[in-house]
Amino acid sequence: MNIDFFNSVKVLSGKDCFKNYADFGRWGKKAVIVCGKRSARLCGALDHAIAGLTGCGVEYLIFDRVEPNPLVSTCHEGGRIAREAGADFVIGIGGGSPLDAAKAVAAFAANPDFEPEDIYTKPRKPALPLLAVNTTAGTGSEVTPYSIMTVPSLENKKSFAGDDLYAKVAFLDPAYTLSLPLDQTYATAVDALCHAVEGYFMKKANPVSDALAEKCIPMLCEGMRRVLAGDLGFDTRELLLYASSMAGMVISRTGTGFVHSTGYMLTYYHGLSHGHANAYFLADFVGFMSRENPIRAEKVFALCGVKDSEELWRFLGACPAMPLGHVFDADLADKYAARTITVKNVGNAVSVITEPELRDILRKRCV
Ligand code: NAP
Ligand code: ZN
């Protein structure tokens, strides 16, 4: 047993934590704000950033071209623009896509000679400092050292990682998530639940990551039940946001498993959101892990308030706005199992699934 753990992010939480405590002047003279097309403005965080930066005389530019599941080429372009403008720190505002893009922009800006895919292979200089502002409660990107981008040449998503990618400060203001529609609220909560549960069965799990997982799994399930009952108020948002960040802390130590790597296929080829895609595989993941570690699996079911995999599957599919139905035909199930089985995450778990076993899950749930 060990209790190895590292996470360097300073977390500030509560209404107006970003508006009132960003302390921009500490991080540099010019910021690049990295965000999506709409949500940063819609939730008010972009206005708060602009007012705060202007108020303390820090210059800024806005790179608002980040698409969901960001392309590596988009992030490379953001890095070029940031460097040419002389930005010395990055502010990411959004869900996991803008936050991951902000990490990549920070890395590309510090490594001007990189082509987009060099980020996965070449040694690099440390990324620019990053401030992370959440507008979804799911990915935990604000507290992880990972950036996940879409790489068309690989027909997949791919992550790069490094301690330099940890945000300096993560700002968790639940009010910024109030404008997130119901289906995305449920999907992002499911993503966070996957992080906590997958992390619980990874080889790197230890008493510290377990304590975080055991704390946040019931919080997430309680939040999801409130969402199903139509409660999308501030208290529910707060519960989901803080729990999702704790789940992010879990995977910052453990990494994720086959739920995520298989989910990427549904996102890349079929356009399902990240959380929606993961929802297809979590119940069977716990069922599969129960062979190796039945005590842990029973504990997860109890923490989720369900009795077994099938009840968990029904719970994950209970949101009419995020149905778990047919996605593709059997031949694609076989292709995706073959693609996924070679991914590194699959081997991170205490029990490693085989290609025929994964194919069976894909056929059972998606065909
Ligand atoms: P997202 O892709 O960031 O956002 C999905 C959609 O929700 C976008 O259209 C976005 O609009 C909108 N949106 C975001 N916040 C909103 C708000 N407050 N109100 C209204 N609309 C809002 O979704 P996500 O699930 O948070 O992130 C998924 C990405 O994170 C994936 O690429 C996944 O691979 C990655 N991920 C990263 C980690 C990690 O550790 N780094 C872990 C898990 C997942 P805009 O486009 O206008 O912003
Ligand atoms: Zn995820």
Side-chain angles (χ1 to χ4, degrees):
M1 199 224 280
N2 69 67
I3 59 159
D4 297 358
F5 199 82
F6 175 77
N7 192 307
S8 60
V9 183
K10 175 174 181 172
V11 177
L12 294 182
S13 62
K15 180 145 174 40
D16 291 334
C17 62
F18 179 60
K19 184 179 172 196
N20 294 337
Y21 302 111
D23 195 13
F24 295 113
R26 186 177 162 198
W27 301 108
K29 293 187 167 49
K30 188 161 193 174
V32 55
I33 302 173
V34 176
C35 58
K37 291 185 177 57
R38 202 168 148 262
S39 65
R41 288 181 177 84
L42 182 70
C43 73
L46 186 60
D47 282 347
H48 292 157
I50 292 170
L53 289 160
T54 308
C56 63
V58 175
E59 289 181 57
Y60 66 90
L61 71 151
I62 300 173
F63 181 72
D64 60 1
R65 287 188 236 156
V66 180
E67 60 279 278
N69 307 297
L71 288 164
V72 66
S73 54
T74 302
C75 301
H76 184 259
E77 174 69 356
R80 185 188 64 75
I81 290 170
R83 181 174 43 79
E84 286 178 4
D88 47 14
F89 71 108
V90 180
I91 304 169
I93 304 177
S97 298
L99 297 187
D100 283 4
K103 293 175 188 174
V105 165
F108 280 124
N111 293 277
D113 52 333
F114 273 23
E115 294 299 322
E117 291 178 42
D118 288 345
I119 205 81
Y120 297 111
T121 53
K122 287 193 175 169
R124 59 183 162 79
K125 298 192 193 85
L128 301 184
L130 169 70
L131 307 181
V133 185
N134 286 69
T135 67
T136 66
T139 71
S141 177
E142 70 282 2
V143 293
T144 72
Y146 316 122
S147 168
I148 301 155
M149 292 178 283
T150 300
V151 186
S153 67
L154 301 176
E155 294 189 16
N156 207 344
K157 297 171 73 172
K158 188 172 165 86
S159 67
F160 78 108
D163 288 348
D164 60 317
L165 299 186
Y166 277 117
K168 297 294 178 202
V169 189
F171 297 91
L172 307 181
D173 182 340
Y176 293 155
T177 67
L178 281 166
S179 50
L180 195 66
L182 189 144
D183 58 336
Q184 285 169 31
T185 302
Y186 200 74
T188 47
V190 169
D191 182 32
L193 184 63
C194 292
H195 297 160
V197 172
E198 284 178 88
Y200 204 56
F201 291 100
M202 293 297 116
K203 286 174 188 155
K204 286 188 179 168
N206 69 33
V208 179
S209 62
D210 286 352
L212 286 161
E214 287 169 12
K215 181 72 186 172
C216 71
I217 290 170
M219 290 169 71
L220 289 164
C221 292
E222 163 67 15
M224 288 162 63
R225 290 189 172 92
R226 288 192 200 174
V227 172
L228 289 174
D231 174 1
L232 291 161
F234 185 89
D235 290 352
T236 300
R237 300 294 188 174
E238 183 179 54
L239 185 70
L240 287 172
L241 182 58
Y242 297 172
S244 68
S245 220
M246 291 162 71
M249 291 172 203
V250 173
I251 57 165
S252 75
R253 156 72 196 167
T254 64
T256 55
F258 78 70
V259 174
H260 268 69
S261 26
T262 316
Y264 292 163
M265 296 287 105
L266 273 62
T267 297
Y268 189 86
Y269 291 110
H270 303 278
L272 271 65
S273 74
H274 177 64
H276 191 178
N278 288 346
Y280 276 84
F281 308 112
L282 185 64
D284 294 306
F285 173 85
V286 184
F288 180 76
M289 292 301 154
S290 71
R291 292 193 217 161
E292 176 74 21
N293 202 327
I295 295 172
R296 275 194 170 233
E298 285 308 314
K299 177 113 190 188
V300 166
F301 292 137
L303 291 167
C304 292
V306 299
K307 68 174 187 310
D308 57 20
S309 282
E310 286 311 306
E311 202 177 336
L312 181 57
W313 166 258
R314 287 194 293 279
F315 177 42
L316 298 171
C319 180
M322 197 201 80
L324 301 184
H326 165 85
V327 191
F328 46 66
D329 296 330
D331 53 335
L332 284 181
D334 300 1
K335 176 181 161 190
Y336 297 156
R339 286 277 308 274
T340 303
I341 208 70
T342 58
V343 174
K344 197 177 82 197
N345 302 39
V346 175
N348 288 343
V350 289
S351 180
V352 179
I353 196 162
T354 64
E355 187 176 330
E357 289 165 331
L358 188 57
R359 194 172 55 216
D360 286 348
I361 292 173
L362 277 154
R363 285 184 176 196
K364 179 169 140 199
R365 298 305 187 189
C366 305
V367 173

